[in-house]
Amino acid sequence: MESKISVKNLDFFYGSNQALYDISLEIPEREVIAFIGPSGCGKSTFLRTLNRMNDTIAIARVDGSVVIDGRNIYAPGTDVVALRRKVGMVFQKSNPFPKSIFENVAYGIRINGIHSNKADLEERVEKALRNAALWDEVKDRLNSSAFGLSGGQQQRLCIARALAVQPEVVLMDEPASALDPIATQKIEELVVELKRDYTIVIVTHNMQQAARVSDRTAFFMLGKLVEFNPTQKMFTNPDEKLTEDYITGRFG
Amino acid sequence: MTTKTINSIDRRRVVNMIMTSLTAVCAVFAIAVLVAILGYIGVRGISSLSIEFLTDTPKPVGEGGGIGNSILGSAIMTLLAAFLGLPVGIAAGVYLAEFGRNWFGNTVRFVADTLIGVPSIIIGIFVYTLVVLPMGRQSGFAGGLALAIIMIPIVARTTEEMISLVPNSMREGALALGAPQWRVTWNIVLPAAASGIATGAMLAIARVTGETAPLLFTALNSRFYNYYLDQPMSSLTVQIYNYATGPFEVEHAMAWAATLLLVGLILVINILVRFFTRKKF
């Protein structure tokens, strides 16, 4: 089977500190992949290598390859801007822009010049908001500030913003970690819904969440990939003793 | 509970009370000095204020006269300084905050901090040598240029600080959408920091409005309404200096009135800052 993302022998360094060791992993198209593991195990760092978000850190260094649709994104001459349009990202803390709700979603469409005219832009914003299950809650106040939304709504706004530029892959870095159970449930339903059109990689601290939403799970520890298997198998009959210990909470 | 812990709680209460009172007294003292200065200026200045005073040009002692030309001169030179200094200062601040994490940025930062500490009269001498001597006379342009040079490092550093306050998560959010670096800076970071930058700019304008020393060398003074940038130009501060150092009581009264006006103008600028920088989003 052709993988959407294929990672081979990836090492990652912050200065002289190695954060990821020899990670190899295949991510199939239109599936939800969950990354789990204790804090500081490198799962967020790994997620951020998939759209080269770590480029913003001056001392970061990457070895190995990440191949998306047959092209190594770390090859010289890679257009990082185009890559990030294709591989969208939702962050742990919702980070709406200091603009109106409409303009938040429209921003990515505008800068990438995706829309043909004003009506098309409005249509795309509405579609993105509907995809993020937020349209009904905000349709009457599109021009008010995004900061007036609740935490859960802000996070869904950020998802809508990411979807609006029509990415193929959506990276989510603990998107529900700061949300209450009801808002979390909405995000989870959304993730399952989005799987039809997108490949989704989601980092989570919440094991039940990984079990609920993902098709495959990767377990990281101390910068190493311990196990990568279908979620069903991972949570019932993992290959590694370490995985079982972590999932069942017997750790130490 | 043992006696010892009770004692330590009592002691803490007493220390807390003493320190709170001390800081309160210092706060009252700081405010009191300000109120005293403003009050004194108000009392001394208000009696000489009149429409004629605000619009007339200086006249020989005993024939009245006013500071109309000085108000105009101050306005022209401050505007010129803002026109020259703000774009350079803001752009430099953007560079320092967004792209300045290297030796060049550190050098610029150090030079800016040094420039902020340089006494303004030295800026005046610098512009005197650079512009006034070759031109052969003092001019409003030289005055505005001196004020602009004073503004640039202040604006650059406040702009940098305001931009650094924009959370990094906002930049990442935009980058993750496929926004090129310059668009992130232009569309996201600058608007997010706009009110802070505007505040810094207005405060820098207020600061140079009160400058005297650099204008003595560069713009000098004029007894007439002057709209030409290549001619010596009057300013409120230099006119205050002239009136205040004059031998006659009536000149002193006019100095107080001009001072009141200057303080009032700076107050208005500060209020405008507050008014225009209310958060919209």
Side-chain angles (χ1 to χ4, degrees):
Chain A
M1 186 196 59
E2 182 75 6
S3 297
K4 183 76 181 168
I5 305 176
S6 167
V7 182
K8 285 204 180 68
N9 308 111
L10 189 90
D11 292 317
F12 185 88
F13 304 84
Y14 290 112
S16 58
N17 267 342
Q18 187 160 6
L20 295 174
Y21 296 86
D22 198 30
I23 311 268
S24 294
L25 184 88
E26 303 285 321
I27 297 176
E29 194 162 14
R30 289 167 217 260
E31 280 199 9
V32 178
I33 313 297
F35 290 175
I36 60 171
S39 292
C41 69
K43 53 195 188 306
S44 286
T45 300
F46 181 55
L47 190 77
R48 291 163 59 96
T49 62
L50 302 180
N51 65 345
R52 290 190 55 172
M53 213 57 196
N54 289 319
D55 287 15
T56 57
I57 303 163
I59 56 168
R61 188 162 62 80
V62 177
D63 279 340
S65 68
V66 175
V67 175
I68 299 180
D69 290 337
R71 293 178 69 178
N72 181 6
I73 62 169
Y74 284 97
T78 300
D79 181 354
V80 181
V81 166
L83 166 73
R84 290 189 186 134
R85 190 184 144 185
K86 186 156 124 177
V87 183
M89 190 164 204
V90 176
F91 296 83
Q92 178 171 7
K93 239 181 105 235
S94 60
N95 53 354
F97 303 135
K99 297 170 184 285
S100 69
I101 294 169
F102 182 89
E103 283 303 325
N104 259 277
V105 182
Y107 182 69
I109 304 174
R110 283 189 203 279
I111 56 165
N112 287 300
I114 299 171
H115 60 299
S116 50
N117 54 40
K118 192 158 175 284
D120 184 38
L121 177 70
E122 282 166 8
E123 208 169 286
R124 284 170 189 276
V125 169
E126 176 176 344
K127 188 166 161 245
L129 283 168
R130 279 191 195 282
N131 280 339
L134 190 61
W135 174 252
D136 290 330
E137 293 161 60
V138 300
K139 64 178 179 219
D140 300 321
R141 48 172 172 149
L142 289 173
N143 291 318
S144 51
S145 167
F147 292 138
L149 297 172
S150 74
Q153 288 172 325
Q154 285 191 16
Q155 192 59 298
R156 276 180 285 146
L157 180 70
C158 292
I159 295 176
R161 191 174 72 184
L163 298 181
V165 298
Q166 300 174 309
E168 293 168 27
V169 180
V170 181
L171 310 175
M172 296 185 167
D173 191 356
E174 297 184 51
S177 66
L179 303 182
D180 68 63
I182 294 167
T184 302
Q185 195 193 349
K186 280 194 173 156
I187 303 264
E188 286 183 14
E189 286 167 5
L190 188 60
V191 168
V192 175
E193 185 75 16
L194 292 175
K195 192 171 76 171
R196 276 187 299 173
D197 300 311
Y198 306 91
T199 305
I200 294 171
V201 185
I202 181 168
V203 168
T204 177
H205 262 126
N206 181 330
M207 240 94 60
Q208 287 75 31
Q209 188 173 69
R212 281 192 297 262
V213 302
S214 69
D215 301 298
R216 285 164 212 266
T217 301
F219 171 51
F220 289 85
M221 214 174 126
L222 300 172
K224 295 189 175 83
L225 176 62
V226 177
E227 183 170 350
F228 181 48
N229 264 321
T231 302
Q232 183 77 24
K233 177 172 166 55
M234 198 86 163
F235 282 87
T236 51
N237 181 27
D239 289 334
E240 302 287 332
K241 175 87 168 51
L242 208 55
T243 313
E244 189 180 342
D245 287 351
Y246 182 73
I247 286 170
T248 53
R250 257 186 288 121
F251 218 66
Chain B
M1 208 187 274
T2 64
T3 4
K4 200 177 167 213
T5 55
I6 291 173
N7 281 341
S8 83
I9 288 177
D10 285 345
R11 200 176 148 256
R12 207 191 315 142
R13 280 214 186 98
V14 171
V15 171
N16 181 39
M17 213 183 70
I18 292 172
M19 294 313 286
T20 311
S21 325
L22 265 179
T23 50
V25 167
C26 290
V28 168
F29 181 74
I31 296 290
V33 170
L34 182 69
V35 170
I37 292 174
L38 290 180
Y40 195 65
I41 292 173
V43 170
R44 295 292 300 257
I46 197 86
S47 53
S48 305
L49 272 186
S50 63
I51 298 292
E52 190 211 355
F53 179 73
L54 293 178
T55 52
D56 234 349
T57 54
K59 284 182 183 157
V61 175
E63 294 179 25
I67 53 165
N69 59 330
S70 306
I71 297 174
L72 178 77
S74 272
I76 289 177
M77 285 190 286
T78 306
L79 279 178
L80 179 66
F83 184 73
L84 295 175
L86 288 184
V88 178
I90 291 174
V94 169
Y95 175 83
L96 287 179
E98 296 292 280
F99 312 99
R101 314 230 177 289
N102 48 36
W103 67 269
F104 180 66
N106 290 335
T107 311
V108 172
R109 212 170 278 125
F110 178 76
V111 169
D113 284 343
T114 311
L115 260 179
I116 289 173
V118 168
S120 55
I121 193 163
I122 292 176
I123 310 281
I125 294 171
F126 173 68
V127 174
Y128 179 80
T129 318
L130 198 75
V131 179
V132 176
L133 286 182
M135 271 180 74
R137 63 166 174 259
Q138 277 91 350
S139 64
F141 171 75
L145 183 66
L147 297 183
I149 293 174
I150 294 170
M151 280 175 84
I152 288 171
I154 304 175
V155 174
R157 288 295 266 152
T158 48
T159 300
E160 182 192 4
E161 255 164 58
M162 290 306 137
I163 287 181
S164 302
L165 289 180
V166 176
N168 215 23
S169 63
M170 237 177 240
R171 293 183 184 84
E172 290 194 333
L175 282 174
L177 291 172
Q181 183 68 50
W182 71 269
R183 296 208 73 144
V184 176
T185 303
W186 185 252
N187 304 139
I188 303 296
V189 177
L190 272 180
S195 68
I197 294 172
T199 308
M202 294 295 257
L203 291 177
I205 289 174
R207 153 86 199 272
V208 299
T209 308
E211 284 292 348
T212 320
L215 296 179
L216 280 171
F217 284 94
T218 51
L220 199 63
N221 202 349
S222 160
R223 300 186 68 82
F224 313 102
Y225 271 103
N226 170 26
Y227 307 91
Y228 300 104
L229 284 175
D230 62 339
Q231 304 284 337
M233 195 174 266
S234 183
S235 63
L236 270 173
T237 46
V238 172
Q239 193 57 47
I240 289 170
Y241 174 78
N242 283 352
Y243 278 146
T245 50
F248 301 104
E249 192 51 45
V250 57
E251 289 182 300
H252 299 167
M254 289 203 280
W256 281 112
T259 307
L260 176 62
L261 184 74
L262 183 63
V263 170
L265 278 178
I266 292 173
L267 183 71
V268 167
I269 293 176
N270 277 292
I271 291 172
L272 285 178
V273 169
R274 294 268 167 155
F275 183 76
F276 282 115
T277 56
R278 287 170 308 174
K279 281 240 179 291
K280 278 197 277 299
F281 283 115

